Short mmCIF file of all heavy atoms in Angstrom, two decimals:
data_model
loop_
_atom_site.label_atom_id
_atom_site.label_comp_id
_atom_site.label_asym_id
_atom_site.label_seq_id
_atom_site.Cartn_x
_atom_site.Cartn_y
_atom_site.Cartn_z
N ILE A 8 33.18 12.63 6.25
CA ILE A 8 32.53 12.82 7.56
C ILE A 8 31.90 11.50 7.96
O ILE A 8 30.97 11.01 7.30
CB ILE A 8 31.44 13.92 7.50
CG1 ILE A 8 31.97 15.18 6.84
CG2 ILE A 8 30.93 14.22 8.91
CD1 ILE A 8 30.89 16.24 6.59
N GLY A 9 32.41 10.90 9.02
CA GLY A 9 31.90 9.59 9.46
C GLY A 9 32.95 8.53 9.25
O GLY A 9 33.41 8.33 8.11
N GLY A 10 33.34 7.85 10.32
CA GLY A 10 34.49 6.93 10.21
C GLY A 10 34.21 5.52 10.65
O GLY A 10 35.07 4.87 11.26
N SER A 11 32.99 5.01 10.31
CA SER A 11 32.74 3.62 10.72
C SER A 11 32.78 2.68 9.52
O SER A 11 33.83 2.13 9.22
CB SER A 11 31.43 3.51 11.46
OG SER A 11 31.33 2.22 12.00
N ALA A 12 31.67 2.50 8.81
CA ALA A 12 31.66 1.53 7.70
C ALA A 12 31.91 2.21 6.35
O ALA A 12 32.95 2.02 5.71
CB ALA A 12 30.33 0.78 7.69
N ALA A 13 30.94 3.03 5.92
CA ALA A 13 30.99 3.59 4.57
C ALA A 13 32.16 4.58 4.41
O ALA A 13 32.87 4.56 3.39
CB ALA A 13 29.67 4.30 4.25
N GLY A 14 32.36 5.45 5.40
CA GLY A 14 33.37 6.51 5.30
C GLY A 14 34.77 5.97 5.05
O GLY A 14 35.41 6.32 4.03
N PHE A 33 36.81 12.64 9.49
CA PHE A 33 36.35 13.21 10.77
C PHE A 33 35.36 12.23 11.39
O PHE A 33 34.38 11.85 10.74
CB PHE A 33 35.67 14.56 10.54
CG PHE A 33 36.66 15.66 10.24
CD1 PHE A 33 37.15 15.83 8.95
CD2 PHE A 33 37.11 16.51 11.25
CE1 PHE A 33 38.05 16.84 8.67
CE2 PHE A 33 38.02 17.52 10.98
CZ PHE A 33 38.49 17.69 9.68
N GLN A 34 35.63 11.83 12.61
CA GLN A 34 34.80 10.81 13.26
C GLN A 34 34.38 11.28 14.65
O GLN A 34 35.22 11.58 15.50
CB GLN A 34 35.58 9.48 13.32
CG GLN A 34 35.02 8.44 14.26
CD GLN A 34 33.70 7.84 13.79
OE1 GLN A 34 32.84 8.55 13.25
NE2 GLN A 34 33.50 6.56 14.02
N LYS A 35 33.07 11.36 14.82
CA LYS A 35 32.52 11.81 16.11
C LYS A 35 32.78 10.80 17.24
O LYS A 35 33.08 11.17 18.37
CB LYS A 35 31.00 11.98 15.91
CG LYS A 35 30.27 12.67 17.01
CD LYS A 35 28.85 12.94 16.52
CE LYS A 35 27.85 12.97 17.62
NZ LYS A 35 26.49 13.08 17.11
N ALA A 36 32.68 9.53 16.93
CA ALA A 36 32.90 8.49 17.95
C ALA A 36 34.40 8.37 18.25
O ALA A 36 35.23 8.95 17.56
CB ALA A 36 32.34 7.17 17.45
N MET A 41 34.29 0.46 13.08
CA MET A 41 33.71 -0.50 14.02
C MET A 41 32.82 -1.50 13.25
O MET A 41 32.09 -1.10 12.35
CB MET A 41 32.82 0.22 15.05
CG MET A 41 33.56 1.26 15.87
SD MET A 41 33.52 2.87 15.05
CE MET A 41 31.96 3.52 15.59
N SER A 43 29.84 -2.83 13.55
CA SER A 43 28.58 -2.74 14.32
C SER A 43 27.80 -4.05 14.28
O SER A 43 27.15 -4.42 15.25
CB SER A 43 27.67 -1.65 13.80
OG SER A 43 28.32 -0.72 13.03
N CYS A 44 27.89 -4.72 13.11
CA CYS A 44 27.10 -5.95 12.96
C CYS A 44 27.57 -7.02 13.95
O CYS A 44 26.85 -7.98 14.21
CB CYS A 44 27.24 -6.47 11.53
SG CYS A 44 26.94 -5.18 10.31
N TYR A 46 28.32 -6.35 17.14
CA TYR A 46 28.01 -5.97 18.54
C TYR A 46 27.18 -7.02 19.27
O TYR A 46 27.49 -7.37 20.41
CB TYR A 46 27.28 -4.62 18.62
CG TYR A 46 28.05 -3.40 18.14
CD1 TYR A 46 27.40 -2.19 17.88
CD2 TYR A 46 29.43 -3.44 17.95
CE1 TYR A 46 28.09 -1.07 17.44
CE2 TYR A 46 30.12 -2.33 17.50
CZ TYR A 46 29.45 -1.14 17.25
OH TYR A 46 30.12 -0.05 16.81
N PRO A 47 26.09 -7.54 18.66
CA PRO A 47 25.28 -8.51 19.41
C PRO A 47 26.09 -9.73 19.87
O PRO A 47 25.84 -10.28 20.93
CB PRO A 47 24.19 -8.92 18.41
CG PRO A 47 24.11 -7.79 17.45
CD PRO A 47 25.50 -7.26 17.33
N THR A 86 35.74 13.98 17.00
CA THR A 86 35.65 15.28 16.35
C THR A 86 34.37 15.32 15.53
O THR A 86 34.21 14.52 14.61
CB THR A 86 36.87 15.51 15.43
OG1 THR A 86 38.04 15.28 16.19
CG2 THR A 86 36.89 16.92 14.87
N GLU A 87 33.49 16.23 15.91
CA GLU A 87 32.19 16.30 15.23
C GLU A 87 32.19 17.41 14.19
O GLU A 87 32.54 18.56 14.51
CB GLU A 87 31.08 16.57 16.27
CG GLU A 87 29.72 16.63 15.62
CD GLU A 87 28.59 16.79 16.61
OE1 GLU A 87 28.87 16.96 17.83
OE2 GLU A 87 27.43 16.75 16.18
N VAL A 88 31.78 17.07 12.99
CA VAL A 88 31.60 18.11 11.98
C VAL A 88 30.25 18.77 12.27
O VAL A 88 29.23 18.09 12.40
CB VAL A 88 31.65 17.51 10.55
CG1 VAL A 88 31.32 18.57 9.51
CG2 VAL A 88 33.02 16.91 10.29
N ALA A 119 29.10 10.48 5.40
CA ALA A 119 28.83 9.08 5.78
C ALA A 119 28.48 9.05 7.26
O ALA A 119 29.13 8.41 8.07
CB ALA A 119 30.05 8.21 5.48
N THR A 120 27.42 9.80 7.57
CA THR A 120 27.09 10.03 8.99
C THR A 120 26.16 8.98 9.58
O THR A 120 25.74 9.11 10.74
CB THR A 120 26.46 11.43 9.15
OG1 THR A 120 25.48 11.61 8.11
CG2 THR A 120 27.49 12.53 9.03
N GLY A 121 25.80 7.97 8.81
CA GLY A 121 25.04 6.85 9.37
C GLY A 121 23.59 7.18 9.69
O GLY A 121 22.96 8.02 9.06
N SER A 122 23.08 6.48 10.70
CA SER A 122 21.67 6.67 11.06
C SER A 122 21.54 6.87 12.57
O SER A 122 22.48 6.63 13.32
CB SER A 122 20.86 5.43 10.64
OG SER A 122 21.47 4.26 11.13
N LEU A 140 21.02 -0.47 20.90
CA LEU A 140 22.28 -1.15 20.54
C LEU A 140 22.67 -0.62 19.17
O LEU A 140 22.44 -1.25 18.14
CB LEU A 140 22.12 -2.68 20.55
CG LEU A 140 23.38 -3.47 20.19
CD1 LEU A 140 24.60 -3.02 20.97
CD2 LEU A 140 23.17 -4.96 20.36
N GLN A 141 23.24 0.60 19.19
CA GLN A 141 23.56 1.29 17.94
C GLN A 141 25.05 1.61 17.85
O GLN A 141 25.65 1.51 16.80
CB GLN A 141 22.72 2.58 17.87
CG GLN A 141 23.07 3.55 16.76
CD GLN A 141 22.54 3.09 15.40
OE1 GLN A 141 21.88 2.05 15.31
NE2 GLN A 141 22.79 3.85 14.37
N ILE A 169 17.56 -6.14 14.66
CA ILE A 169 18.44 -5.81 15.78
C ILE A 169 17.79 -6.22 17.11
O ILE A 169 18.46 -6.71 18.02
CB ILE A 169 18.85 -4.32 15.73
CG1 ILE A 169 19.75 -4.15 14.51
CG2 ILE A 169 19.57 -3.89 17.01
CD1 ILE A 169 20.29 -2.79 14.27
N GLU A 172 18.38 -9.95 17.37
CA GLU A 172 19.78 -10.25 17.66
C GLU A 172 20.13 -9.88 19.11
O GLU A 172 20.89 -10.57 19.78
CB GLU A 172 20.70 -9.51 16.69
CG GLU A 172 20.66 -10.11 15.29
CD GLU A 172 21.54 -9.39 14.27
OE1 GLU A 172 22.18 -8.37 14.63
OE2 GLU A 172 21.59 -9.84 13.13
N ASN A 256 20.70 9.85 9.31
CA ASN A 256 21.27 11.03 9.97
C ASN A 256 21.59 12.07 8.88
O ASN A 256 22.70 12.14 8.36
CB ASN A 256 22.53 10.63 10.74
CG ASN A 256 23.14 11.81 11.48
OD1 ASN A 256 22.61 12.92 11.45
ND2 ASN A 256 24.27 11.57 12.12
N LEU A 259 23.39 17.31 8.88
CA LEU A 259 24.38 18.20 8.24
C LEU A 259 23.98 18.52 6.79
O LEU A 259 24.06 19.67 6.34
CB LEU A 259 25.74 17.51 8.19
CG LEU A 259 26.59 17.52 9.46
CD1 LEU A 259 27.85 16.70 9.20
CD2 LEU A 259 26.96 18.94 9.86
N ILE A 289 26.92 8.48 1.35
CA ILE A 289 26.93 7.01 1.30
C ILE A 289 26.49 6.40 2.62
O ILE A 289 26.59 7.02 3.67
CB ILE A 289 28.36 6.48 0.98
CG1 ILE A 289 29.40 7.19 1.88
CG2 ILE A 289 28.71 6.68 -0.47
CD1 ILE A 289 30.83 6.70 1.69
N GLY A 290 26.00 5.18 2.54
CA GLY A 290 25.70 4.42 3.76
C GLY A 290 24.30 4.70 4.28
O GLY A 290 23.38 5.08 3.56
N ASP A 291 24.15 4.54 5.58
CA ASP A 291 22.83 4.63 6.22
C ASP A 291 22.18 6.00 6.10
O ASP A 291 20.99 6.14 6.39
CB ASP A 291 22.97 4.33 7.73
CG ASP A 291 23.04 2.85 8.02
OD1 ASP A 291 23.19 2.07 7.08
OD2 ASP A 291 22.97 2.49 9.21
N CYS A 292 22.94 7.04 5.72
CA CYS A 292 22.35 8.39 5.68
C CYS A 292 21.69 8.69 4.34
O CYS A 292 21.11 9.76 4.18
CB CYS A 292 23.40 9.45 6.02
SG CYS A 292 24.79 9.50 4.89
N PRO A 307 19.39 0.43 5.53
CA PRO A 307 20.56 0.55 6.42
C PRO A 307 21.26 -0.79 6.65
O PRO A 307 21.08 -1.42 7.68
CB PRO A 307 19.94 1.09 7.72
CG PRO A 307 18.54 0.57 7.72
CD PRO A 307 18.13 0.38 6.29
N PHE A 308 22.04 -1.19 5.68
CA PHE A 308 22.75 -2.47 5.76
C PHE A 308 24.26 -2.24 5.60
O PHE A 308 24.69 -1.44 4.76
CB PHE A 308 22.29 -3.43 4.66
CG PHE A 308 20.90 -3.96 4.88
CD1 PHE A 308 19.84 -3.51 4.11
CD2 PHE A 308 20.65 -4.91 5.86
CE1 PHE A 308 18.56 -4.00 4.31
CE2 PHE A 308 19.37 -5.40 6.07
CZ PHE A 308 18.32 -4.95 5.30
N GLY A 309 25.02 -3.02 6.36
CA GLY A 309 26.48 -2.87 6.36
C GLY A 309 27.12 -3.18 5.02
O GLY A 309 28.07 -2.52 4.61
N ASP A 310 26.60 -4.19 4.33
CA ASP A 310 27.21 -4.54 3.04
C ASP A 310 26.99 -3.41 2.03
O ASP A 310 27.91 -3.01 1.30
CB ASP A 310 26.66 -5.87 2.51
CG ASP A 310 25.15 -5.89 2.37
OD1 ASP A 310 24.47 -5.14 3.10
OD2 ASP A 310 24.64 -6.66 1.53
N ALA A 312 26.53 -0.25 2.69
CA ALA A 312 27.35 0.91 3.09
C ALA A 312 28.76 0.78 2.52
O ALA A 312 29.33 1.73 1.97
CB ALA A 312 27.38 1.03 4.61
N ILE A 339 19.83 -10.93 6.29
CA ILE A 339 19.80 -12.21 7.01
C ILE A 339 20.12 -11.94 8.47
O ILE A 339 20.84 -10.98 8.79
CB ILE A 339 20.84 -13.19 6.39
CG1 ILE A 339 20.71 -14.58 7.02
CG2 ILE A 339 22.27 -12.69 6.54
CD1 ILE A 339 21.41 -15.68 6.24
C1 LIG B 601 23.70 -3.93 16.35
C2 LIG B 601 23.76 -3.81 14.87
C3 LIG B 601 23.79 -4.95 14.09
C4 LIG B 601 23.81 -4.84 12.70
N1 LIG B 601 23.86 -5.99 11.96
C5 LIG B 601 23.92 -5.90 10.62
C6 LIG B 601 24.05 -7.07 9.83
O1 LIG B 601 24.13 -8.19 10.36
N2 LIG B 601 24.09 -6.93 8.48
C7 LIG B 601 24.03 -5.70 7.88
O2 LIG B 601 24.08 -5.62 6.64
N3 LIG B 601 23.94 -4.57 8.60
C8 LIG B 601 23.88 -4.64 9.94
N4 LIG B 601 23.81 -3.50 10.69
C9 LIG B 601 23.75 -2.20 10.00
C10 LIG B 601 25.14 -1.69 9.66
O3 LIG B 601 25.94 -1.72 10.79
C11 LIG B 601 25.01 -0.28 9.11
O4 LIG B 601 24.24 -0.34 7.96
C12 LIG B 601 26.37 0.31 8.78
O5 LIG B 601 27.16 0.44 9.93
C13 LIG B 601 26.19 1.71 8.17
O6 LIG B 601 27.42 2.26 7.94
P1 LIG B 601 27.60 3.84 7.87
O7 LIG B 601 29.05 4.07 7.69
O8 LIG B 601 26.66 4.40 6.91
O9 LIG B 601 27.11 4.36 9.28
P2 LIG B 601 27.70 4.08 10.72
O10 LIG B 601 28.34 2.75 10.78
O11 LIG B 601 26.59 4.37 11.66
O12 LIG B 601 28.82 5.18 10.88
C14 LIG B 601 28.53 6.54 10.90
C15 LIG B 601 29.60 7.23 11.70
O13 LIG B 601 29.48 8.61 11.49
C16 LIG B 601 29.86 9.30 12.65
N5 LIG B 601 29.24 10.61 12.61
C17 LIG B 601 27.91 10.94 12.61
N6 LIG B 601 27.75 12.26 12.55
C18 LIG B 601 28.98 12.81 12.50
C19 LIG B 601 29.45 14.15 12.44
N7 LIG B 601 28.62 15.17 12.40
N8 LIG B 601 30.79 14.34 12.43
C20 LIG B 601 31.65 13.30 12.45
N9 LIG B 601 31.25 12.02 12.51
C21 LIG B 601 29.93 11.78 12.53
C22 LIG B 601 29.34 8.41 13.79
O14 LIG B 601 30.13 8.59 14.93
C23 LIG B 601 29.46 7.01 13.20
O15 LIG B 601 30.58 6.31 13.70
C24 LIG B 601 23.81 -3.57 12.08
C25 LIG B 601 23.80 -2.41 12.87
C26 LIG B 601 23.78 -2.52 14.24
C27 LIG B 601 23.77 -1.28 15.07
#
Side-chain angles (χ1 to χ4, degrees):
I8 311 172
S11 189
F33 286 82
Q34 165 69 322
K35 191 171 151 187
M41 301 89 85
S43 341
C44 311
Y46 296 166
T86 307
E87 181 176 6
V88 174
T120 46
S122 52
L140 180 50
Q141 170 77 1
I169 292 181
E172 288 179 357
N256 182 2
L259 280 176
I289 48 177
D291 280 10
C292 61
F308 289 107
D310 56 334
I339 187 165

